């Protein structure tokens, strides 16, 4: 059922031609195997990308906050587009965010846990499963099997950034804390508005975060 949900979500995300579809894998095929008992999805490969779970250990002191900025901005852009399409990702965890160092790309994978939040949906929109090893990234509504909203994804994105850049300036940490409030009703609900607020924060802080400049992101080799 999780694989079937991912297939539905990816089809929905790519149902319209849009430049922001670059943040989502394209579903190439979906089929049953093991005598019809299991489903497999085939998506494009991301050979030159790194999951945040494998990227962070390469930076013992944490990711440079300047790189954390573009990662967070692009993550919000992808989530904003998904929410506009009526989907909550539901698992914004280190394994599910791919980073393309060369062009600062961000791709959200593993849409198995996603739920439909459009006005026409009459189904239960609680997150059906979670990844136990990343339990600390989930908000209380997921753990309580309550309805998910865009605020669910935004909470997880903020927790992810707090984890990724522990050396972030104090204003960043305060911003992420405000996005990851316990009560869902107290959190931001709109990724696009949150992106605007974040950009205003960058402008207020100034150098080296504003004006924004391209900074090459070099991934060090894994150490034995």
């Amino acid at each position: 059922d999780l694989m079937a949900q991912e297939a539905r979500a990816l089809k929905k995300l790519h149902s319209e031609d849009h430049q922001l579809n670059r943040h989502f894998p394209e579903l190439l095929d979906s089929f049953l195997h093991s005598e019809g008992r299991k489903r497999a999805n085939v998506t494009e490969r991301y050979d030159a990308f790194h999951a945040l779970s494998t990227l962070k250990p390469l930076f013992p002191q944490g990711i440079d906050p300047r790189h954390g900025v573009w990662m967070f901005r692009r993550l919000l852009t992808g989530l904003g587009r998904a929410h506009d399409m009526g989907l909550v990702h539901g698992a914004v965890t280190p394994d599910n965010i791919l980073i393309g160092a060369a062009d600062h790309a961000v791709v959200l994978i593993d849409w198995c846990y996603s739920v439909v939040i459009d006005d026409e949906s009459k189904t239960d929109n609680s997150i059906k499963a979670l990844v136990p090893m990343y339990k600390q990234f989930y908000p209380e509504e997921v753990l309580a099997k309550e309805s998910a909203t865009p605020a669910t994804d935004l909470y997880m994105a903020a927790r992810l950034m707090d984890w990724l850049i522990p050396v972030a300036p104090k204003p960043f940490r305060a911003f992420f804390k405000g996005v990851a409030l316990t009560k869902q009703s107290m959190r931001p609900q709109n990724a696009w508005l949150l992106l605007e607020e974040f950009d205003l924060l960058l402008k207020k802080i100034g150098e080296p975060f504003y004006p924004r400049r391209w900074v090459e992101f070099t991934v060090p080799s894994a150490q034995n």
Side-chain angles (χ1 to χ4, degrees), residues 95-163:
D95 281 346
N96 293 337
I97 309 301
L98 301 184
I99 301 297
D103 57 356
H104 290 190
V106 172
V107 176
L108 290 89
I109 64 170
D110 198 353
W111 289 81
C112 295
Y113 309 97
S114 63
V115 293
V116 178
I117 55 168
D118 59 37
D119 295 335
E120 298 178 359
S121 176
K122 304 299 182 182
T123 59
D124 173 23
N125 63 348
S126 62
I127 306 298
K128 303 301 183 293
L130 56 81
V131 183
M133 67 182 295
Y134 294 125
K135 189 175 180 180
Q136 74 272 25
F137 288 97
Y138 289 87
E140 65 173 13
E141 66 266 18
V142 175
L143 303 178
K145 299 296 182 181
E146 297 173 351
S147 295
T149 69
T152 303
D153 281 344
L154 300 182
Y155 174 103
M156 300 186 78
R159 293 281 290 115
L160 189 65
M161 289 298 108
D162 216 19
W163 166 84

Side-chain angles (χ1 to χ4, degrees), residues 189-222:
Q189 293 278 344
N190 187 300
W192 301 115
L193 293 180
L194 186 62
L195 178 57
E196 290 181 10
E197 291 179 17
F198 188 62
D199 282 349
L200 288 175
L201 176 64
L202 298 178
K203 186 174 183 179
K204 182 178 180 180
I205 295 174
E207 293 286 355
F209 306 109
Y210 188 88
R212 294 200 306 274
R213 297 183 179 88
W214 178 271
V215 180
E216 184 177 358
F217 183 50
T218 302
V219 179
S221 300

